[in-house]
Amino acid sequence: MSLFQKHIEPRCAYCTRCRPLNEEQVVCEKKGVMSAASSCRSFRYDPLKRVPPRPVKADFSKLKDEDFKI
């Protein structure tokens, strides 16, 4: 399992050329104020800005004591 995906969907929220303005908008060096979900041709990925989704927690409630016996 690799830490980084090979294909990252371009978004202004994690572009090196953008700075956050608020939760929904960013300020781009090239385009000015833009939506954080949008992107442009000058997108450059910054892995430190991207927050990966949390892993799904395992559901152990359906397991019984019998499942753990040999």
Side-chain angles (χ1 to χ4, degrees):
M1 186 172 124
S2 64
L3 293 175
F4 300 109
Q5 298 173 354
K6 297 225 182 243
H7 175 71
I8 300 293
E9 180 184 342
R11 303 185 105 197
C12 289
Y14 38 84
C15 177
T16 58
R17 300 171 194 247
C18 293
R19 303 291 174 254
L21 188 60
N22 57 36
E23 291 181 13
E24 297 176 2
Q25 293 181 331
V26 294
V27 177
C28 178
E29 294 174 359
K30 298 282 185 179
K31 301 279 186 172
V33 178
M34 295 185 70
S35 169
S38 64
S39 66
C40 65
R41 290 188 298 168
S42 37
F43 172 77
R44 288 198 178 170
Y45 179 61
D46 184 0
L48 298 178
K49 288 187 177 182
R50 182 170 170 263
V51 179
R54 289 190 170 266
V56 178
K57 289 188 176 183
D59 182 19
F60 297 113
S61 64
K62 297 179 182 178
L63 297 176
K64 302 173 187 171
D65 289 337
E66 300 155 358
D67 295 329
F68 297 99
K69 292 183 181 177
I70 298 178

